[in-house]
Amino acid sequence: MSFTHGPSADFCAALGLSIPIVQAPMAGAGGTALAKAVQSAGGLGSLPCATLSLEAIESGINDCLNRADETNAAIAAQGSRPPLNVNFFTHSAKPENPNAQQRWQQRLADEYHALSIDPQAAGNTKAASRSPFNESACELIEANPPAVVSFHFGLPDAALVKRVKAAGCQVWSSATTVTEAVWLEAHGADAIIAQGFEAGGHRGLFLDPQTGEEITDDHIGLIAHQVGTFSLLPQVVDAVQLPVIAAGGIADGRGIAAALALGASAVQIGTAFLFSQEATITPMHRQALQQGSPENTALTNVFSGKPARSVVNTLMQRVGPMSQSTPPFPTAATALAPLKTQAETENKADYSSLWSGQSAQLANQLIDRCLSAESNRIQDTDCPSATHLVNWLAADATQTLKQLARIS
Amino acid sequence: MSFTHGPSADFCAALGLSIPIVQAPMAGAGGTALAKAVQSAGGLGSLPCATLSLEAIESGINDCLNRADETNAAIAAQGSRPPLNVNFFTHSAKPENPNAQQRWQQRLADEYHALSIDPQAAGNTKAASRSPFNESACELIEANPPAVVSFHFGLPDAALVKRVKAAGCQVWSSATTVTEAVWLEAHGADAIIAQGFEAGGHRGLFLDPQTGEEITDDHIGLIAHQVGTFSLLPQVVDAVQLPVIAAGGIADGRGIAAALALGASAVQIGTAFLFSQEATITPMHRQALQQGSPENTALTNVFSGKPARSVVNTLMQRVGPMSQSTPPFPTAATALAPLKTQAETENKADYSSLWSGQSAQLANQLIDRCLSAESNRIQDTDCPSATHLVNWLAADATQTLKQLARIS
């Protein structure tokens, strides 16, 4: 693609990208290696920080912004910052709620019993925690500012948003509704990620679709109002003046072309990168993605307390996919930790989140096609690098656009 | 659009269409006038029969197939049948279940109380019934066969499918999952309507996404597995050899272009036609569509017992959107009938289904744009004919495709 026309051309020019592909930040599933592999192919690499310590965030940013790196040096020579998006959650961390934890443990009683786990010990196993963006994280950003700082679940306090922008970073956030997109524009966002229903992982949902108020309780009825990419994307494009990045269900060139048709300036791709060699997921997770069909994923709140899309597994079937019994985000993970740990030692993902969008098969098939076509040139035929993946996505999109051009 | 290349060209040629637009059959919301208006613009008109008597079906088919009609005569001269799709439901009609009705009436007790309605009288008001395709309907089709017979909720018995095909009709049905699409191809369908999560009205859902078995109970957990158009469409295209018609969230030219990018042979558009003067909806329904945002619709089972997308109203907020208490499809409507009737006499749609896809605003804005551009030429500026609407959709799609052609 040459991208000499339209909003995607402006988007790429502003960030020094050669292709309008943003690698979705996926907490726990990818780190600096993934971000750098995408950067080197001309896309925007993303560093997810929700589960990282401050030290790990700092080292990750330094690694990705390193101007000794060939790609970064070339971009710096053009006057742009290295193409890095540093991503944070912005949920309001709630105080511990022992009653809610107890209710959740009771709901899981049959599961503990099945694995012969003492429920009393459940609180002792450490689960991955998720911290919201705060003062300390903001200081790290100010010290070494990336091109983009993106947020999930709304935006942090206005004072922190102001500081991030003052550091010269673009501020992005996800909208799952038109209402959220309009709110984000009014509160200082520089671009909107329109996150359709198809997307894997956590829904960015932060405003009640009925009242427009911030969500204080992730009640399960909210997901009935969530909006598919096909419908959300053009309506967000119409509702705001900002560039809109399409997310949810995009995993091959057809999806990229369709997103551009619907008015997107760029696409954010997540699940497809879980197939890359830089992804840090378990073999069980990778296997679930390879075998999945779109209807074999569901929105579920059982892993964290907030709705997120995962490949369906035992826990989701028995307790969910949506449960009234989960404690506030992110503390549902605490009581699950011993179940997850024990099942994983037996190579079972019965209690592990298997985040996936609805288009995993599209990525799987694109990779199969490209690997068989290029097998002479690529060494690791089982698992391509994210750099290859970006190149294949771009080539596939070009092909779709050329086919479309013959119709009109 | 010239449609000289690609699957949409083949699709149009096979049916004698000049544009790959199928008007969605919408039971109760459009009849012969709507179907004929779409036919005359070169699209495929559809006659929904689920709520019609046999006499009304016969008269509707005769009206739409009338070869004295100019459009039909022109198409007949080219050797094609008039472009008509006659649509039926294929649910398994269950015996009356007094216990389930009583449980549902109890769930509605507060609603009856609020409107001072005697719950005992609730069974006496007649609600619109919905009949599945059967022997008598098949005889009507054989006597005067249209180009296409489409089904919703799967397919009728194999013997009936065979007779419809023997009458020279194409058989279509809706798939909400890849599993359903593959099943429909194996059971004789000639084209698949990929119905994404965004679509208005009833979900065509008929196989359990976990087991692949036919659904015997519309349990509410099923909707967590439903798939957005962006993800469903290309995966159905990849999974079957048949032409695939995209449905769900398509309401302007951007959507048509995006559907073609994702591999569709044609699009099925519903909600946009509810804005046309040929639609037979209430002013309240039209108003709800005009004011709607995508997140102001939800999947709900409270109106019929099966999940369907409606603009959110009082009943959905108070009792749903998804309820465990509804009786089997379509009998949930019976107990609602007195509530609906009384509220509607006060111009309130509190208990009326307000079917809508998630892209109503896209159609609303397309119509606004086109009406203001063409106001000198069009008489009824409030409510365009479906013929105009088809022309505008085609022009808008052409424009989007031209813009895309400049990118590649």
Side-chain angles (χ1 to χ4, degrees):
Chain A
M1 286 190 280
S2 50
F3 299 111
T4 51
H5 284 82
S8 57
D10 299 339
F11 182 89
C12 287
L15 288 165
L17 305 177
S18 56
I19 36 176
I21 293 179
V22 177
Q23 166 238 325
M26 299 177 286
T32 54
L34 179 55
K36 290 170 77 171
V38 172
Q39 288 178 327
S40 73
L44 183 67
S46 296
L47 186 67
C49 297
T51 57
L52 300 186
S53 67
L54 284 173
E55 293 70 27
I57 297 171
E58 184 170 26
S59 126
I61 295 177
N62 286 337
D63 193 4
C64 291
L65 294 186
N66 182 0
R67 301 209 176 201
D69 177 274
E70 192 182 334
T71 311
N72 290 346
I75 285 177
Q78 292 164 23
S80 292
R81 290 184 183 182
L84 179 67
N85 162 32
V86 181
N87 175 262
F88 297 92
F89 283 4
T90 58
H91 58 287
S92 51
K94 291 187 178 158
E96 287 284 325
N97 182 336
N99 289 341
Q101 279 296 338
Q102 198 176 12
R103 196 177 61 228
W104 182 224
Q105 286 187 25
Q106 281 163 0
R107 180 68 185 83
L108 296 171
D110 288 348
E111 312 305 319
Y112 293 129
H113 183 74
L115 269 63
S116 306
I117 288 172
D118 176 10
Q120 300 302 320
N124 301 335
T125 314
K126 185 111 181 82
S129 72
R130 295 171 175 100
S131 305
F133 187 68
N134 58 19
E135 175 73 29
S136 313
C138 194
E139 284 169 10
L140 287 184
I141 291 295
E142 290 171 317
N144 210 351
V148 178
V149 176
S150 69
F151 298 104
H152 211 52
F153 312 125
L155 288 172
D157 287 345
L160 291 175
V161 172
K162 203 173 166 184
R163 284 171 58 185
V164 173
K165 288 170 76 95
C169 307
Q170 284 196 24
V171 168
W172 297 359
S173 184
S174 303
T176 67
T177 61
V178 171
T179 308
E180 288 174 348
V182 170
W183 187 98
L184 289 171
E185 181 173 50
H187 288 75
D190 298 301
I192 307 289
I193 301 152
Q195 190 197 24
F197 180 75
E198 294 90 335
H202 282 93
R203 309 290 309 148
L205 182 61
F206 65 98
L207 297 179
D208 187 306
Q210 292 297 295
T211 64
E213 301 290 317
E214 279 192 64
I215 290 170
T216 51
D217 171 27
D218 290 292
H219 66 86
I220 69 174
L222 290 172
I223 67 160
H225 299 266
Q226 288 286 281
V227 185
T229 300
F230 215 95
S231 197
L232 180 67
L233 175 56
Q235 293 183 77
V236 169
V237 168
D238 289 349
V240 301
Q241 304 293 316
L242 304 173
V244 179
I245 299 144
I250 304 166
D252 66 13
R254 290 174 290 185
I256 296 172
L260 296 177
L262 293 170
S265 293
V267 298
Q268 180 169 289
I269 293 179
T271 307
F273 287 111
L274 296 181
F275 290 98
S276 73
Q277 57 189 239
E278 291 85 1
T280 54
I281 61 175
T282 63
M284 289 179 288
H285 192 164
R286 199 179 293 263
Q287 193 175 17
L289 292 170
Q290 279 166 341
Q291 295 169 348
S293 65
E295 58 264 31
N296 196 30
T297 74
L299 291 184
T300 181
N301 64 350
V302 298
F303 295 112
S304 69
K306 274 189 185 291
R309 187 172 295 285
S310 169
V311 176
V312 175
N313 67 357
T314 301
L315 179 68
M316 289 167 67
Q317 286 177 314
R318 290 208 199 135
V319 178
M322 296 297 290
S323 168
Q324 305 270 13
S325 307
T326 53
F329 178 87
T331 64
T334 310
L336 290 176
L339 295 164
K340 177 175 184 289
T341 303
Q342 182 160 330
E344 286 186 355
T345 59
E346 297 166 21
N347 286 318
K348 288 181 183 164
D350 292 352
Y351 300 96
S352 308
S353 58
L354 301 167
W355 303 141
S356 172
Q358 291 187 322
S359 293
Q361 276 318 301
L362 296 181
N364 201 20
Q365 289 179 21
L366 175 72
I367 291 169
D368 278 352
R369 278 200 309 277
C370 293
L371 278 178
S372 49
E374 300 193 9
S375 56
N376 295 333
R377 290 196 284 136
I378 292 175
Q379 289 188 317
D380 186 340
T381 53
D382 288 324
C383 204
S385 75
T387 308
H388 277 123
L389 197 44
V390 173
N391 292 335
W392 293 341
L393 286 162
D396 200 39
T398 302
Q399 193 182 336
T400 303
L401 288 167
K402 283 189 178 157
Q403 283 165 354
L404 276 181
R406 284 205 291 267
I407 294 177
S408 67
Chain B
M1 285 189 279
S2 50
F3 299 112
T4 50
H5 283 82
S8 57
D10 299 338
F11 183 88
C12 288
L15 289 165
L17 305 177
S18 56
I19 37 174
I21 293 178
V22 177
Q23 165 239 326
M26 298 177 286
T32 54
L34 179 55
K36 290 170 76 171
V38 172
Q39 287 177 327
S40 73
L44 183 68
S46 297
L47 187 67
C49 297
T51 58
L52 300 185
S53 67
L54 284 174
E55 294 71 27
I57 296 171
E58 184 170 27
S59 128
I61 294 177
N62 286 335
D63 192 5
C64 291
L65 295 186
N66 183 358
R67 303 211 175 197
D69 176 275
E70 193 182 333
T71 311
N72 290 346
I75 284 176
Q78 293 165 20
S80 292
R81 290 185 183 181
L84 180 66
N85 162 32
V86 181
N87 176 262
F88 297 92
F89 282 4
T90 56
H91 58 286
S92 51
K94 289 185 181 161
E96 287 284 324
N97 182 336
N99 289 341
Q101 278 296 339
Q102 198 176 10
R103 195 178 62 227
W104 182 224
Q105 285 187 26
Q106 282 165 358
R107 181 68 186 83
L108 297 171
D110 288 349
E111 311 305 320
Y112 292 129
H113 183 73
L115 269 63
S116 306
I117 288 172
D118 176 8
Q120 300 302 320
N124 302 333
T125 313
K126 185 112 182 80
S129 71
R130 294 171 175 100
S131 304
F133 187 69
N134 58 21
E135 174 73 28
S136 313
C138 193
E139 285 169 11
L140 287 184
I141 291 296
E142 289 172 317
N144 209 352
V148 177
V149 176
S150 69
F151 298 104
H152 211 51
F153 311 124
L155 288 171
D157 287 344
L160 291 176
V161 172
K162 201 172 168 186
R163 284 170 57 183
V164 173
K165 288 170 76 94
C169 307
Q170 283 196 24
V171 168
W172 296 0
S173 185
S174 302
T176 67
T177 60
V178 172
T179 308
E180 288 174 347
V182 170
W183 188 98
L184 289 171
E185 181 174 50
H187 288 75
D190 299 300
I192 306 289
I193 301 152
Q195 189 196 24
F197 180 74
E198 294 89 335
H202 282 92
R203 308 288 312 145
L205 182 60
F206 65 98
L207 297 180
D208 186 306
Q210 292 297 295
T211 64
E213 301 290 317
E214 278 192 63
I215 289 170
T216 51
D217 171 26
D218 290 291
H219 67 86
I220 68 176
L222 290 173
I223 67 162
H225 299 266
Q226 288 286 281
V227 185
T229 300
F230 214 96
S231 197
L232 180 67
L233 175 56
Q235 292 184 78
V236 170
V237 168
D238 289 349
V240 300
Q241 304 293 317
L242 306 173
V244 178
I245 300 143
I250 304 166
D252 66 12
R254 290 174 290 185
I256 296 172
L260 296 177
L262 293 169
S265 293
V267 298
Q268 180 168 289
I269 293 180
T271 307
F273 288 111
L274 296 180
F275 289 98
S276 73
Q277 58 189 236
E278 291 86 0
T280 54
I281 60 174
T282 63
M284 290 178 289
H285 192 164
R286 200 178 294 263
Q287 195 176 14
L289 292 170
Q290 279 165 342
Q291 295 170 347
S293 65
E295 58 264 30
N296 197 30
T297 74
L299 290 185
T300 181
N301 64 351
V302 298
F303 295 113
S304 70
K306 273 188 185 291
R309 187 172 294 285
S310 169
V311 177
V312 175
N313 67 357
T314 301
L315 179 69
M316 288 166 68
Q317 286 176 314
R318 290 207 198 135
V319 178
M322 295 297 290
S323 168
Q324 304 269 14
S325 306
T326 52
F329 178 86
T331 63
T334 310
L336 290 176
L339 295 162
K340 177 176 185 286
T341 304
Q342 181 160 332
E344 286 187 356
T345 60
E346 297 167 23
N347 286 317
K348 288 181 183 163
D350 291 352
Y351 300 96
S352 308
S353 59
L354 301 167
W355 303 142
S356 172
Q358 292 187 321
S359 293
Q361 278 318 300
L362 295 181
N364 201 21
Q365 289 180 21
L366 175 72
I367 291 169
D368 279 354
R369 278 200 309 276
C370 293
L371 278 178
S372 50
E374 301 194 7
S375 57
N376 295 333
R377 293 196 281 135
I378 292 174
Q379 289 188 318
D380 185 342
T381 53
D382 287 323
C383 205
S385 75
T387 309
H388 277 122
L389 197 44
V390 173
N391 293 334
W392 292 340
L393 286 162
D396 200 39
T398 302
Q399 194 182 336
T400 304
L401 288 167
K402 283 187 178 157
Q403 285 166 355
L404 276 181
R406 283 205 293 267
I407 294 177
S408 67

